Amino acid sequence: MIQEAIIRYLRKRQQNALTPKVVLFDMDGVLFDSMRFHARAWSEVATKHHLIFTTTDFYLFEGRTGESTINELFRRTFHRNATEEEAHAIYEEKSRLFNSYNSRVPMPGAADVLEEVAKAGLRRLVVTGSGQRSLIDQLNQTYPGHFERDKMVTAFDVKLGKPHPEPYLIGLRKAEAKANEAFVIENAPMGVEAGVAAGIFTIAVNTGPLPDEALTEAGADLLYPDMASLAKDWRRIMEAAAAIKESGM
Ligand code: MG
């Protein structure tokens, strides 16, 4: 299954080999088990501002910038975008609520994935649309020795946000890697779209309430139910990539 996925990726990209140097990790729902707190904060703030939403929306919107989520809800409810002041105020409120919850829970199995990736000699970078400084600052405490602050891609680096490939393209640039020298690990449909649009082999981990199809239809090259099962398979993924390179496919 892994081998076929890599071959499919290489054919689509007209590449000869997948020679990984770096893994680009999404943050929310991949490194932190934080999505339910985001969804809760968004739901509360949207209710307060009389915006039309369902809880699943916030899992489907994941990866977008805060402003883009607010505009989507405004268009749906009021048939216009939010003003800059409205968007700013609502995002502040949402951030305050989010920070007041216990949102710094590590994703089970994520530390194991990071260890496997480090053991395989690959670099680790975070690529997130999040502007939540509390979580970004938490990364090095939760996962010491894995991430360099100046190599992180956050809301402060990106203009467009996922599903646009921009965040992952910036990640590749910071890692000085080509698309076929990287993996993306994502939990959100728009994040998967962004990784795929950047030309990177994208591994989806379904850590939330959406159906698997939401991730496969977004173009995920591989799909795992959780980070622990991805950690168990990491060596096999590396071996499959190396075997295909040797056989000169
Ligand atoms: Mg995510």
PDB file of all heavy atoms in Angstrom, residues 25-32 34-35 38 59 62-63 127-129 162 168 185-189 191 205 207, ligand 1:
ATOM      1  N   PHE A  25       5.384  19.393   9.563  1.00  0.00           N
ATOM      2  CA  PHE A  25       4.288  19.022  10.469  1.00  0.00           C
ATOM      3  C   PHE A  25       3.299  20.162  10.607  1.00  0.00           C
ATOM      4  O   PHE A  25       3.681  21.282  10.966  1.00  0.00           O
ATOM      5  CB  PHE A  25       4.817  18.721  11.879  1.00  0.00           C
ATOM      6  CG  PHE A  25       5.572  17.431  12.011  1.00  0.00           C
ATOM      7  CD1 PHE A  25       6.934  17.380  11.741  1.00  0.00           C
ATOM      8  CD2 PHE A  25       4.922  16.277  12.423  1.00  0.00           C
ATOM      9  CE1 PHE A  25       7.634  16.195  11.875  1.00  0.00           C
ATOM     10  CE2 PHE A  25       5.619  15.078  12.568  1.00  0.00           C
ATOM     11  CZ  PHE A  25       6.981  15.037  12.286  1.00  0.00           C
ATOM     12  N   ASP A  26       2.032  19.876  10.365  1.00  0.00           N
ATOM     13  CA  ASP A  26       0.984  20.791  10.786  1.00  0.00           C
ATOM     14  C   ASP A  26       0.950  20.752  12.322  1.00  0.00           C
ATOM     15  O   ASP A  26       1.455  19.806  12.924  1.00  0.00           O
ATOM     16  CB  ASP A  26      -0.337  20.306  10.170  1.00  0.00           C
ATOM     17  CG  ASP A  26      -1.520  21.049  10.723  1.00  0.00           C
ATOM     18  OD1 ASP A  26      -1.502  22.292  10.693  1.00  0.00           O
ATOM     19  OD2 ASP A  26      -2.471  20.387  11.198  1.00  0.00           O
ATOM     20  N   MET A  27       0.368  21.765  12.946  1.00  0.00           N
ATOM     21  CA  MET A  27       0.412  21.806  14.418  1.00  0.00           C
ATOM     22  C   MET A  27      -0.890  21.328  15.085  1.00  0.00           C
ATOM     23  O   MET A  27      -0.894  20.314  15.790  1.00  0.00           O
ATOM     24  CB  MET A  27       0.741  23.229  14.881  1.00  0.00           C
ATOM     25  CG  MET A  27       0.892  23.344  16.381  1.00  0.00           C
ATOM     26  SD  MET A  27       1.478  24.971  16.910  1.00  0.00           S
ATOM     27  CE  MET A  27      -0.002  25.955  16.702  1.00  0.00           C
ATOM     28  N   ASP A  28      -1.996  22.055  14.853  1.00  0.00           N
ATOM     29  CA  ASP A  28      -3.254  21.700  15.528  1.00  0.00           C
ATOM     30  C   ASP A  28      -3.811  20.401  14.951  1.00  0.00           C
ATOM     31  O   ASP A  28      -3.949  20.259  13.738  1.00  0.00           O
ATOM     32  CB  ASP A  28      -4.286  22.819  15.326  1.00  0.00           C
ATOM     33  CG  ASP A  28      -3.952  24.037  16.162  1.00  0.00           C
ATOM     34  OD1 ASP A  28      -4.027  23.929  17.396  1.00  0.00           O
ATOM     35  OD2 ASP A  28      -3.613  25.083  15.581  1.00  0.00           O
ATOM     36  N   GLY A  29      -4.129  19.473  15.803  1.00  0.00           N
ATOM     37  CA  GLY A  29      -4.686  18.197  15.349  1.00  0.00           C
ATOM     38  C   GLY A  29      -3.618  17.213  14.897  1.00  0.00           C
ATOM     39  O   GLY A  29      -3.920  16.077  14.543  1.00  0.00           O
ATOM     40  N   VAL A  30      -2.336  17.647  14.900  1.00  0.00           N
ATOM     41  CA  VAL A  30      -1.226  16.750  14.548  1.00  0.00           C
ATOM     42  C   VAL A  30      -0.248  16.668  15.728  1.00  0.00           C
ATOM     43  O   VAL A  30       0.041  15.589  16.232  1.00  0.00           O
ATOM     44  CB  VAL A  30      -0.512  17.217  13.258  1.00  0.00           C
ATOM     45  CG1 VAL A  30       0.811  16.475  13.061  1.00  0.00           C
ATOM     46  CG2 VAL A  30      -1.414  16.990  12.041  1.00  0.00           C
ATOM     47  N   LEU A  31       0.247  17.828  16.172  1.00  0.00           N
ATOM     48  CA  LEU A  31       1.187  17.855  17.304  1.00  0.00           C
ATOM     49  C   LEU A  31       0.468  18.123  18.621  1.00  0.00           C
ATOM     50  O   LEU A  31       0.882  17.650  19.678  1.00  0.00           O
ATOM     51  CB  LEU A  31       2.262  18.919  17.056  1.00  0.00           C
ATOM     52  CG  LEU A  31       3.170  18.640  15.854  1.00  0.00           C
ATOM     53  CD1 LEU A  31       4.063  19.846  15.571  1.00  0.00           C
ATOM     54  CD2 LEU A  31       4.027  17.392  16.064  1.00  0.00           C
ATOM     55  N   PHE A  32      -0.607  18.909  18.547  1.00  0.00           N
ATOM     56  CA  PHE A  32      -1.424  19.162  19.740  1.00  0.00           C
ATOM     57  C   PHE A  32      -2.836  18.661  19.502  1.00  0.00           C
ATOM     58  O   PHE A  32      -3.386  18.815  18.410  1.00  0.00           O
ATOM     59  CB  PHE A  32      -1.475  20.662  20.068  1.00  0.00           C
ATOM     60  CG  PHE A  32      -0.183  21.213  20.589  1.00  0.00           C
ATOM     61  CD1 PHE A  32       0.491  22.205  19.896  1.00  0.00           C
ATOM     62  CD2 PHE A  32       0.362  20.739  21.777  1.00  0.00           C
ATOM     63  CE1 PHE A  32       1.692  22.717  20.377  1.00  0.00           C
ATOM     64  CE2 PHE A  32       1.566  21.245  22.257  1.00  0.00           C
ATOM     65  CZ  PHE A  32       2.226  22.238  21.557  1.00  0.00           C
ATOM     66  N   SER A  34      -5.630  19.815  19.962  1.00  0.00           N
ATOM     67  CA  SER A  34      -6.200  21.124  20.285  1.00  0.00           C
ATOM     68  C   SER A  34      -7.446  21.482  19.489  1.00  0.00           C
ATOM     69  O   SER A  34      -8.091  22.490  19.776  1.00  0.00           O
ATOM     70  CB  SER A  34      -5.129  22.193  20.025  1.00  0.00           C
ATOM     71  OG  SER A  34      -4.508  21.960  18.775  1.00  0.00           O
ATOM     72  N   MET A  35      -7.795  20.642  18.499  1.00  0.00           N
ATOM     73  CA  MET A  35      -8.893  21.040  17.617  1.00  0.00           C
ATOM     74  C   MET A  35     -10.234  21.176  18.329  1.00  0.00           C
ATOM     75  O   MET A  35     -11.022  22.051  18.033  1.00  0.00           O
ATOM     76  CB  MET A  35      -9.008  20.076  16.424  1.00  0.00           C
ATOM     77  CG  MET A  35      -8.168  20.484  15.243  1.00  0.00           C
ATOM     78  SD  MET A  35      -8.317  22.255  14.827  1.00  0.00           S
ATOM     79  CE  MET A  35     -10.033  22.374  14.330  1.00  0.00           C
ATOM     80  N   HIS A  38     -10.347  24.548  19.786  1.00  0.00           N
ATOM     81  CA  HIS A  38     -10.592  25.560  18.748  1.00  0.00           C
ATOM     82  C   HIS A  38     -12.072  25.570  18.377  1.00  0.00           C
ATOM     83  O   HIS A  38     -12.694  26.630  18.313  1.00  0.00           O
ATOM     84  CB  HIS A  38      -9.782  25.252  17.482  1.00  0.00           C
ATOM     85  CG  HIS A  38      -8.353  25.672  17.560  1.00  0.00           C
ATOM     86  ND1 HIS A  38      -7.967  26.983  17.610  1.00  0.00           N
ATOM     87  CD2 HIS A  38      -7.217  24.947  17.587  1.00  0.00           C
ATOM     88  CE1 HIS A  38      -6.641  27.049  17.671  1.00  0.00           C
ATOM     89  NE2 HIS A  38      -6.165  25.825  17.657  1.00  0.00           N
ATOM     90  N   TYR A  59     -13.950  22.156  11.810  1.00  0.00           N
ATOM     91  CA  TYR A  59     -12.998  21.127  11.392  1.00  0.00           C
ATOM     92  C   TYR A  59     -12.762  21.212   9.887  1.00  0.00           C
ATOM     93  O   TYR A  59     -11.670  20.962   9.405  1.00  0.00           O
ATOM     94  CB  TYR A  59     -13.505  19.735  11.787  1.00  0.00           C
ATOM     95  CG  TYR A  59     -13.481  19.526  13.285  1.00  0.00           C
ATOM     96  CD1 TYR A  59     -14.587  19.825  14.071  1.00  0.00           C
ATOM     97  CD2 TYR A  59     -12.333  19.054  13.911  1.00  0.00           C
ATOM     98  CE1 TYR A  59     -14.565  19.662  15.446  1.00  0.00           C
ATOM     99  CE2 TYR A  59     -12.294  18.878  15.293  1.00  0.00           C
ATOM    100  CZ  TYR A  59     -13.411  19.180  16.046  1.00  0.00           C
ATOM    101  OH  TYR A  59     -13.377  19.020  17.405  1.00  0.00           O
ATOM    102  N   GLU A  62     -10.512  24.210   9.144  1.00  0.00           N
ATOM    103  CA  GLU A  62      -9.200  24.195   9.774  1.00  0.00           C
ATOM    104  C   GLU A  62      -8.089  24.414   8.752  1.00  0.00           C
ATOM    105  O   GLU A  62      -8.099  23.806   7.687  1.00  0.00           O
ATOM    106  CB  GLU A  62      -8.965  22.857  10.493  1.00  0.00           C
ATOM    107  CG  GLU A  62      -7.750  22.931  11.386  1.00  0.00           C
ATOM    108  CD  GLU A  62      -7.238  21.582  11.799  1.00  0.00           C
ATOM    109  OE1 GLU A  62      -7.966  20.584  11.722  1.00  0.00           O
ATOM    110  OE2 GLU A  62      -6.060  21.540  12.205  1.00  0.00           O
ATOM    111  N   GLY A  63      -7.141  25.277   9.116  1.00  0.00           N
ATOM    112  CA  GLY A  63      -6.028  25.577   8.216  1.00  0.00           C
ATOM    113  C   GLY A  63      -6.163  26.960   7.617  1.00  0.00           C
ATOM    114  O   GLY A  63      -5.177  27.601   7.278  1.00  0.00           O
ATOM    115  N   VAL A 127       4.537  23.802  10.125  1.00  0.00           N
ATOM    116  CA  VAL A 127       3.883  24.697   9.169  1.00  0.00           C
ATOM    117  C   VAL A 127       2.425  24.832   9.591  1.00  0.00           C
ATOM    118  O   VAL A 127       1.632  23.911   9.426  1.00  0.00           O
ATOM    119  CB  VAL A 127       3.966  24.150   7.730  1.00  0.00           C
ATOM    120  CG1 VAL A 127       3.217  25.061   6.763  1.00  0.00           C
ATOM    121  CG2 VAL A 127       5.424  24.017   7.279  1.00  0.00           C
ATOM    122  N   THR A 128       2.082  25.974  10.169  1.00  0.00           N
ATOM    123  CA  THR A 128       0.729  26.151  10.697  1.00  0.00           C
ATOM    124  C   THR A 128       0.153  27.496  10.274  1.00  0.00           C
ATOM    125  O   THR A 128       0.893  28.460  10.103  1.00  0.00           O
ATOM    126  CB  THR A 128       0.734  26.040  12.240  1.00  0.00           C
ATOM    127  OG1 THR A 128      -0.592  26.277  12.713  1.00  0.00           O
ATOM    128  CG2 THR A 128       1.674  27.045  12.896  1.00  0.00           C
ATOM    129  N   GLY A 129      -1.151  27.520  10.118  1.00  0.00           N
ATOM    130  CA  GLY A 129      -1.830  28.782   9.846  1.00  0.00           C
ATOM    131  C   GLY A 129      -2.147  29.508  11.144  1.00  0.00           C
ATOM    132  O   GLY A 129      -2.690  30.603  11.149  1.00  0.00           O
ATOM    133  N   LYS A 162      -3.707  28.064   4.172  1.00  0.00           N
ATOM    134  CA  LYS A 162      -4.213  26.847   3.534  1.00  0.00           C
ATOM    135  C   LYS A 162      -5.672  27.093   3.161  1.00  0.00           C
ATOM    136  O   LYS A 162      -6.328  27.878   3.837  1.00  0.00           O
ATOM    137  CB  LYS A 162      -4.095  25.676   4.519  1.00  0.00           C
ATOM    138  CG  LYS A 162      -2.660  25.459   5.004  1.00  0.00           C
ATOM    139  CD  LYS A 162      -2.627  24.530   6.225  1.00  0.00           C
ATOM    140  CE  LYS A 162      -1.226  24.462   6.803  1.00  0.00           C
ATOM    141  NZ  LYS A 162      -1.135  23.666   8.039  1.00  0.00           N
ATOM    142  N   TYR A 168       3.174  25.749   2.778  1.00  0.00           N
ATOM    143  CA  TYR A 168       4.101  24.630   2.553  1.00  0.00           C
ATOM    144  C   TYR A 168       5.232  25.008   1.616  1.00  0.00           C
ATOM    145  O   TYR A 168       6.349  24.488   1.743  1.00  0.00           O
ATOM    146  CB  TYR A 168       3.336  23.380   2.092  1.00  0.00           C
ATOM    147  CG  TYR A 168       2.641  22.751   3.273  1.00  0.00           C
ATOM    148  CD1 TYR A 168       1.253  22.726   3.381  1.00  0.00           C
ATOM    149  CD2 TYR A 168       3.388  22.236   4.324  1.00  0.00           C
ATOM    150  CE1 TYR A 168       0.625  22.199   4.496  1.00  0.00           C
ATOM    151  CE2 TYR A 168       2.775  21.704   5.448  1.00  0.00           C
ATOM    152  CZ  TYR A 168       1.404  21.687   5.523  1.00  0.00           C
ATOM    153  OH  TYR A 168       0.807  21.175   6.646  1.00  0.00           O
ATOM    154  N   ILE A 185       2.632  16.185   7.036  1.00  0.00           N
ATOM    155  CA  ILE A 185       1.704  15.451   7.906  1.00  0.00           C
ATOM    156  C   ILE A 185       0.592  16.408   8.324  1.00  0.00           C
ATOM    157  O   ILE A 185       0.853  17.454   8.909  1.00  0.00           O
ATOM    158  CB  ILE A 185       2.419  14.852   9.132  1.00  0.00           C
ATOM    159  CG1 ILE A 185       3.548  13.924   8.664  1.00  0.00           C
ATOM    160  CG2 ILE A 185       1.414  14.078  10.004  1.00  0.00           C
ATOM    161  CD1 ILE A 185       4.326  13.269   9.787  1.00  0.00           C
ATOM    162  N   GLU A 186      -0.628  16.046   7.980  1.00  0.00           N
ATOM    163  CA  GLU A 186      -1.795  16.931   8.120  1.00  0.00           C
ATOM    164  C   GLU A 186      -2.998  16.172   8.654  1.00  0.00           C
ATOM    165  O   GLU A 186      -3.153  14.991   8.399  1.00  0.00           O
ATOM    166  CB  GLU A 186      -2.180  17.470   6.735  1.00  0.00           C
ATOM    167  CG  GLU A 186      -1.651  18.836   6.405  1.00  0.00           C
ATOM    168  CD  GLU A 186      -2.295  19.957   7.216  1.00  0.00           C
ATOM    169  OE1 GLU A 186      -3.278  19.711   7.950  1.00  0.00           O
ATOM    170  OE2 GLU A 186      -1.787  21.078   7.115  1.00  0.00           O
ATOM    171  N   ASN A 187      -3.878  16.880   9.356  1.00  0.00           N
ATOM    172  CA  ASN A 187      -5.127  16.263   9.807  1.00  0.00           C
ATOM    173  C   ASN A 187      -6.356  16.893   9.162  1.00  0.00           C
ATOM    174  O   ASN A 187      -7.452  16.374   9.315  1.00  0.00           O
ATOM    175  CB  ASN A 187      -5.266  16.429  11.323  1.00  0.00           C
ATOM    176  CG  ASN A 187      -5.530  17.874  11.681  1.00  0.00           C
ATOM    177  OD1 ASN A 187      -4.724  18.745  11.349  1.00  0.00           O
ATOM    178  ND2 ASN A 187      -6.646  18.148  12.314  1.00  0.00           N
ATOM    179  N   ALA A 188      -6.179  18.032   8.459  1.00  0.00           N
ATOM    180  CA  ALA A 188      -7.348  18.766   7.974  1.00  0.00           C
ATOM    181  C   ALA A 188      -7.449  18.708   6.451  1.00  0.00           C
ATOM    182  O   ALA A 188      -6.430  18.755   5.764  1.00  0.00           O
ATOM    183  CB  ALA A 188      -7.254  20.224   8.410  1.00  0.00           C
ATOM    184  N   PRO A 189      -8.679  18.624   5.919  1.00  0.00           N
ATOM    185  CA  PRO A 189      -8.826  18.575   4.456  1.00  0.00           C
ATOM    186  C   PRO A 189      -8.117  19.729   3.743  1.00  0.00           C
ATOM    187  O   PRO A 189      -7.422  19.505   2.747  1.00  0.00           O
ATOM    188  CB  PRO A 189     -10.342  18.652   4.257  1.00  0.00           C
ATOM    189  CG  PRO A 189     -10.920  18.105   5.521  1.00  0.00           C
ATOM    190  CD  PRO A 189      -9.969  18.484   6.605  1.00  0.00           C
ATOM    191  N   GLY A 191      -5.634  21.493   4.805  1.00  0.00           N
ATOM    192  CA  GLY A 191      -4.197  21.326   4.986  1.00  0.00           C
ATOM    193  C   GLY A 191      -3.653  20.306   3.991  1.00  0.00           C
ATOM    194  O   GLY A 191      -2.581  20.494   3.412  1.00  0.00           O
ATOM    195  N   VAL A 205      -3.606  12.223   8.790  1.00  0.00           N
ATOM    196  CA  VAL A 205      -3.885  11.498  10.025  1.00  0.00           C
ATOM    197  C   VAL A 205      -5.248  11.984  10.496  1.00  0.00           C
ATOM    198  O   VAL A 205      -5.429  13.166  10.776  1.00  0.00           O
ATOM    199  CB  VAL A 205      -2.791  11.795  11.080  1.00  0.00           C
ATOM    200  CG1 VAL A 205      -3.035  10.990  12.333  1.00  0.00           C
ATOM    201  CG2 VAL A 205      -1.413  11.483  10.517  1.00  0.00           C
ATOM    202  N   THR A 207      -7.423  12.606  12.990  1.00  0.00           N
ATOM    203  CA  THR A 207      -7.524  12.700  14.450  1.00  0.00           C
ATOM    204  C   THR A 207      -8.812  13.393  14.901  1.00  0.00           C
ATOM    205  O   THR A 207      -9.006  13.607  16.097  1.00  0.00           O
ATOM    206  CB  THR A 207      -6.322  13.475  15.023  1.00  0.00           C
ATOM    207  OG1 THR A 207      -6.321  14.798  14.467  1.00  0.00           O
ATOM    208  CG2 THR A 207      -5.010  12.797  14.696  1.00  0.00           C
TER     209      THR A 207
HETATM  210 MG    MG B   1      -4.314  20.744  11.696  1.00  0.00          MG
END
